[in-house]
Amino acid sequence: MTATSKPLLERRDVAVLVPAAGQGLRLGGDVPKALRDLHGQSLLVHCLRALAAAPSVGLIVVAAPAAHLGAVRAQLPEATVVEGGSTRQESVSNALAAVPASFEIVLVHDAARALTPPSLIEAVAAAVRTGHDAVIPVLPVVDTIKQLSPDGHVLTTVDRSQLGAVQTPQGFRRDLLTKAHATATDAHTDDAGLVERMGLPVFTVPGHPEALKITTPFDLLIAESILRSRN
Ligand code: C5P
């Protein structure tokens, strides 16, 4: 075996950007969401542990709230920590700027998805490695979805068999993600949206229920029971 043909699991060729600079207003509390406690550790520490347990991950760049840079650096000595922006998109751009050119695969992973299994991180990275330039994890939609008017009346029922609930990590060839952010003209709630706007394909892999986005106090309860079941 040559030095350039290491087994896949030994490659640490993936950089992960972690936007963690949101306030988390829907969760309440007096610290930013990423710093909220879950079972004795911050959401961000849980998130970083999952990333560090994924064999592909060689670099983690966290975009942290400006007022908490010191605290985040102290909690995460193994990560590069940069200042987040006023939107998620800006936070991702700031983190992307800190990735050395040697990383050709970049994942973007919300700190709020703190309990994401390492297997999902690996599945997204593997799909990029095998030639898909943009990859997202998707779960089927279980509820019936209706489009509503501003005054709360139903306009139409959407065919849920054609819908997917999108998670992170989302994976990209680094040059595509860089171009997508550099040419962005409008706001998107995820990075794949920037690639779609360029008219380029986005591949999907199956998501995982434990990669839920911890958004409300109810989600924290679910997260606690996931952790209990793991222990
Ligand atoms: O607001 P939303 O729930 O979509 O945020 C998703 C992720 O983006 C969270 O992990 C949050 O911390 C992050 N974010 C950020 N910078 C912002 C807003 C949100 O890094 N200005």
Side-chain angles (χ1 to χ4, degrees):
M1 187 180 300
T2 68
T4 53
S5 63
K6 285 188 276 183
L8 280 186
L9 289 181
E10 283 179 23
R11 291 186 192 165
R12 292 205 165 265
D13 58 348
V14 172
V16 186
L17 316 180
V18 182
Q23 285 306 307
L25 297 178
R26 289 163 290 186
L27 192 57
D30 50 10
V31 290
K33 180 163 69 176
L35 298 175
R36 282 291 293 272
D37 181 85
L38 172 63
H39 233 66
Q41 300 286 355
S42 70
L43 290 180
L44 202 42
V45 167
H46 285 285
C47 180
L48 270 273
R49 276 189 188 156
L51 292 170
S56 291
V57 175
L59 175 73
I60 300 169
V61 184
V62 176
H68 299 269
L69 283 178
V72 172
R73 288 195 174 113
Q75 280 188 23
L76 311 173
E78 68 276 51
T80 300
V81 180
V82 301
E83 188 171 323
S86 58
T87 63
R88 179 188 181 283
Q89 204 163 304
E90 206 178 307
S91 294
V92 173
S93 284
N94 291 358
L96 184 56
V99 177
S102 54
F103 287 95
E104 290 179 3
I105 300 175
V106 177
L107 268 50
V108 185
H109 186 45
D110 289 337
R113 298 185 188 274
L115 301 185
T116 299
S119 60
L120 182 61
I121 297 158
E122 286 303 306
V124 171
V128 179
R129 242 185 237 119
T130 56
H132 300 288
D133 290 352
V135 177
I136 59 173
V138 170
L139 283 180
V141 172
V142 292
D143 292 316
T144 295
I145 304 288
K146 296 188 190 286
Q147 191 182 350
L148 305 178
S149 66
D151 67 355
H153 287 83
V154 172
L155 295 174
T156 183
T157 301
V158 184
D159 176 7
R160 73 178 174 201
S161 69
Q162 294 189 6
L163 300 178
V166 176
Q167 301 182 315
T168 72
Q170 300 190 346
F172 305 89
R173 282 265 148 220
R174 179 237 184 74
D175 49 2
L176 173 59
L177 186 64
T178 303
K179 191 168 176 189
H181 274 268
T183 59
T185 51
D186 46 4
H188 290 262
T189 52
D190 74 347
D191 300 278
L194 298 173
V195 173
E196 292 155 39
R197 182 194 52 86
M198 295 166 77
L200 296 172
V202 176
F203 184 67
T204 66
V205 296
H208 196 293
E210 293 183 7
L212 81 157
K213 182 156 118 185
I214 299 169
T215 309
T216 64
F218 180 70
D219 298 330
L220 266 185
L221 287 178
I222 297 173
E224 276 162 12
S225 72
I226 292 171
L227 278 178
R228 267 198 302 275
S229 74
R230 287 182 185 172
N231 294 332

